């Protein structure tokens, strides 16, 4: 990590975002039997927890406190513009008869206010515009951000420690067992609910906290880097291969979170090393910068193309057409909306921005 101007630059993060959105995109295009698209979301969760915790650590070190109002204002300015634009575009496509689904005010409100994951399961998930179902993941993240800053403040005041974070991660694993075996919840239910996916972000938070001292370097020493990387990759591959429903509903997310910790650590601390340096190529980082809007819009675009007979799920032509349109839409939103708002975010909050 290094200071560049008034920002803290963390190597590889934009590249990791690019890998994540690539996995999700290809999986949604009809190649989920080959590419683990859901794992792309898990990476996004881990990265989000890591990034926000690093930012909170920096603010705590500088000011000895966390400005919660500024924190949540940053979240609104970061998330709302692209989300509003994507929702408006999806509604326009549906109104014009170009994509399937239904414009339902209650559903749109649940997506806009980040409670779509619970609304879709327990109230009505049948009235969404095709392609917007993926907004469940934003609900998980925003629920997490309602809780994590308060926990971090307790950590900063030494009211809780790393061991309590580890116990919380373990408790969520136990809760998944309870929901799956005790309540009979399906793999999909456990996949999208906040109370069962909270730890996917906590693993990233834990790594960020470990990196504030020397603990992470002791856990993942440079001399064992290759061993850790090979072991982590093998563990991840095993987590993809095992198709047992019980494993996928319980242990899968814990196993993947543990495996991601050394990979993330080496990626951000040794970004110029062979392999990791690919994450920092200019065009890869550019895709990472657009990845939030790409995530929001790509599935609507895919459904629009399929709905109009341009291509079918599982066709390489769908990947090509949807990829071009997704990049075009996302780059336009980034340069016309998101990038111009970056100075406003810094001015309103007074916080230094972390970028990857």
């Amino acid at each position: 990590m290094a200071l560049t101007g008034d920002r803290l630059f963390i190597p590889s993060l934009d590249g990791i975002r690019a890998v994540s959105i690539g996995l999700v995109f290809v999986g949604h295009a009809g190649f989920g039997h080959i590419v683990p698209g859901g794992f792309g979301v898990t990476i996004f969760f881990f990265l989000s927890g890591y990034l926000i915790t690093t930012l909170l650590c920096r603010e705590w070190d500088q000011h000895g406190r966390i400005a919660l109002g500024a924190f949540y204002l940053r979240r609104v300015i970061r998330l709302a513009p692209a989300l509003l634009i994507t929702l408006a575009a999806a509604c326009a496509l549906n109104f014009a008869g170009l994509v399937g689904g239904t414009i339902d005010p209650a559903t749109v409100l649940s997506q806009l206010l980040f409670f779509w994951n619970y609304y879709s399961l327990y109230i009505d998930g049948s009235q969404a515009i095709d392609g917007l179902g993926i907004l469940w993941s934003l609900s998980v993240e925003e629920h997490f951000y309602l809780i994590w800053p308060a926990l971090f403040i307790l950590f900063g005041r030494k009211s809780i420690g790393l061991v309590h974070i580890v116990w919380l991660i373990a408790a969520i694993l136990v809760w998944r067992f309870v929901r799956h075996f005790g309540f009979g919840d399906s793999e999909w239910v456990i996949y999208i609910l906040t109370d069962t996916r909270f730890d996917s972000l906590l693993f990233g938070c834990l790594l960020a906290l470990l990196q504030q001292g020397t603990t992470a370097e002791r856990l993942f020493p440079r001399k064992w880097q290759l061993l850790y990387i090979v072991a982590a990759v093998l563990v991840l591959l095993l987590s993809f291969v095992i198709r047992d429903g019980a494993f996928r509903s319980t242990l899968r997310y814990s196993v993947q979170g543990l495996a991601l910790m050394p990979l993330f650590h080496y990626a951000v601390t040794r970004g110029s090393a062979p392999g990791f340096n690919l994450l920092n190529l200019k065009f890869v980082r550019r895709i990472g910068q657009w990845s939030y809007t790409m995530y929001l819009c790509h599935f609507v675009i895919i459904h629009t193309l399929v709905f109009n007979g341009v291509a079918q799920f599982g066709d390489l032509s769908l990947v090509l057409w949807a990829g071009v349109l997704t990049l075009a839409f996302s780059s336009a939103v980034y340069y016309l909306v998101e990038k111009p708002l970056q100075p406003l975010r810094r001015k309103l909050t007074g916080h230094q921005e972390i970028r990857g």
Side-chain angles (χ1 to χ4, degrees):
M1 303 177 191
L3 284 171
T4 57
D6 64 344
R7 300 180 181 181
L8 182 62
F9 172 72
I10 304 179
S12 305
L13 287 193
D14 279 332
I16 294 172
R17 289 189 184 98
V19 171
S20 301
I21 188 58
L23 291 173
V24 174
F25 176 85
V26 175
H28 280 158
F31 295 91
H33 59 293
I34 301 174
V35 177
F39 179 60
V41 178
T42 299
I43 298 175
F44 271 128
F45 283 161
F46 188 107
L47 186 150
S48 187
Y50 176 85
L51 183 59
I52 290 298
T53 303
T54 302
L55 175 60
L56 292 175
C57 287
R58 180 170 175 77
E59 182 183 353
W60 188 270
D61 289 342
Q62 289 182 337
H63 305 290
R65 64 183 181 87
I66 300 299
L68 291 178
F71 174 86
Y72 290 115
L73 184 57
R74 285 178 61 87
R75 297 303 302 166
V76 170
I77 298 173
R78 172 70 181 98
L79 297 177
L83 178 59
L84 287 169
I85 292 170
T86 302
L87 284 172
C91 289
L93 288 170
N94 181 266
F95 185 77
L98 296 175
V99 70
T102 305
I103 300 177
D104 175 64
T107 294
V108 174
L109 185 65
S110 74
Q111 294 168 338
L112 183 61
L113 297 183
F114 308 114
F115 59 95
W116 166 241
N117 58 342
Y118 287 94
Y119 183 91
S120 66
L121 283 176
Y122 299 121
I123 300 179
D124 186 2
S126 64
Q127 301 298 311
I129 296 172
D130 292 347
L132 290 182
I134 61 171
L135 297 182
W136 68 266
S137 63
L138 268 69
S139 300
V140 173
E141 286 202 34
E142 295 317 299
H143 298 164
F144 176 83
Y145 292 133
L146 291 175
I147 300 171
W148 176 244
L151 291 178
F152 181 87
I153 290 172
L154 292 175
F155 182 86
R157 293 173 178 172
K158 301 189 186 306
S159 298
I160 62 174
L162 286 172
V163 65
H164 297 97
I165 308 301
V166 174
W167 276 113
L168 181 55
I169 290 173
I172 295 168
L173 171 60
V174 172
W175 178 238
R176 280 199 293 270
F177 272 93
V178 171
R179 292 206 62 151
H180 180 71
F181 290 104
F183 300 157
D185 286 334
S186 68
E187 184 179 325
W188 174 250
V189 170
I190 291 174
Y191 178 65
I192 71 168
L193 291 186
T194 305
D195 54 289
T196 52
R197 296 302 307 276
F198 201 77
D199 57 335
S200 292
L201 291 100
L202 277 175
F203 276 108
C205 299
L206 179 60
L207 177 61
L209 293 173
L210 291 173
Q211 287 183 339
Q212 299 310 303
T214 60
T215 306
E217 288 294 337
R218 294 200 304 270
L219 285 175
F220 310 119
R222 182 170 296 189
K223 64 179 180 180
W224 293 349
Q225 176 175 328
L226 181 59
L227 176 63
Y228 266 110
I229 291 173
V230 171
V233 170
L234 290 176
V235 167
L236 289 176
L237 290 175
L238 184 63
S239 75
F240 304 150
V241 170
I242 298 176
R243 310 305 297 178
D244 176 69
F247 170 82
R248 291 174 62 81
S249 296
T250 55
L251 286 168
R252 172 173 50 154
Y253 306 113
S254 300
V255 168
Q256 291 178 348
L258 287 170
L260 284 173
M261 290 185 71
L263 294 178
F264 258 81
H265 175 73
Y266 292 125
V268 301
T269 59
R270 301 206 63 205
S272 60
F276 293 128
N277 60 343
L278 300 177
L279 297 172
N280 295 286
L281 294 174
K282 186 175 181 179
F283 80 92
V284 176
R285 292 188 56 220
R286 186 68 67 196
I287 292 174
Q289 291 171 351
W290 302 341
S291 62
Y292 170 57
T293 305
M294 290 179 68
Y295 182 81
L296 295 177
C297 74
H298 79 279
F299 209 21
V300 175
I301 291 173
I302 287 173
H303 274 281
T304 300
L305 293 170
V306 172
F307 186 82
N308 290 280
V310 177
Q312 298 298 316
F313 288 105
D315 292 347
L316 290 177
S317 60
L318 180 61
V319 174
L320 176 62
W321 280 110
V324 170
L325 292 172
T326 297
L327 288 170
F329 181 85
S330 302
S331 61
V333 171
Y334 177 79
Y335 286 113
L336 297 177
V337 180
E338 292 183 283
K339 190 173 182 179
L341 283 174
Q342 289 175 358
L344 176 61
R345 289 169 60 196
R346 293 193 292 271
K347 180 180 179 180
L348 288 175
T349 65
H351 293 164
Q352 293 183 326
E353 182 182 0
I354 296 182
R355 63 186 178 90

